[in-house]
Amino acid sequence: QVQLVESGGGLVQPGGSLRLSCAAPGSIFSRSVMGWYRQPPGNQREWIALITSDDFINYADSVKGRFTISRDNAKNTVYLQMNSLKPEDTAVYYCNARGQWGGSWGQGTQVTVSS
């Protein structure tokens, strides 16, 4: 089974920053589209950002210009740098890996933006 492990969540004030990390098995990382999703309280899970193995990147409008996704192939890790955080960014953030092999989700990490 593929195990994705997120880290970096926590409590931050509006306007603050957090960096999320997601470590993936090396056997699938290089052949996976890596993405971040989030699930706000009482809402459905929504896509935030993705990055392909050749570094094509796409963002949801809600985070464009504030969040940056990147991947470190040497560390088999994808990152989500979150700046200018807003209360509406509060959610459980999930890492996702998808490829022809299938797909996998992390357990999620809580991000709370509150003053």
Side-chain angles (χ1 to χ4, degrees):
Q1 300 221 247
V2 177
Q3 300 290 325
L4 305 181
V5 181
E6 301 103 332
S7 62
L11 175 65
V12 65
Q13 294 183 346
S17 298
L18 285 174
R19 189 183 74 160
L20 306 183
S21 300
C22 173
S27 60
I28 61 98
F29 186 82
S30 63
R31 54 193 180 102
S32 299
V33 176
M34 303 300 298
W36 288 97
Y37 293 70
R38 67 186 182 187
Q39 188 165 10
N43 219 318
Q44 63 182 341
R45 191 172 299 184
E46 64 181 358
W47 167 79
I48 302 167
L50 66 84
I51 184 167
T52 67
S53 59
D54 58 350
D55 289 328
F56 174 81
I57 294 172
N58 202 7
Y59 298 99
D61 288 341
S62 59
V63 306
K64 194 172 299 181
R66 299 187 299 121
F67 291 10
T68 302
I69 189 171
S70 62
R71 62 193 294 161
D72 186 332
N73 294 329
K75 297 180 179 179
N76 297 319
T77 300
V78 63
Y79 303 96
L80 185 69
Q81 177 66 46
M82 304 185 294
N83 298 325
S84 302
L85 284 162
K86 307 173 181 179
E88 51 263 45
D89 294 320
T90 296
V92 178
Y93 283 70
Y94 296 91
C95 179
N96 175 263
R98 173 175 286 275
Q100 289 187 321
W101 55 271
S104 185
W105 294 93
Q107 289 297 116
T109 184
Q110 176 71 47
V111 172
T112 302
V113 184
S114 176
S115 58

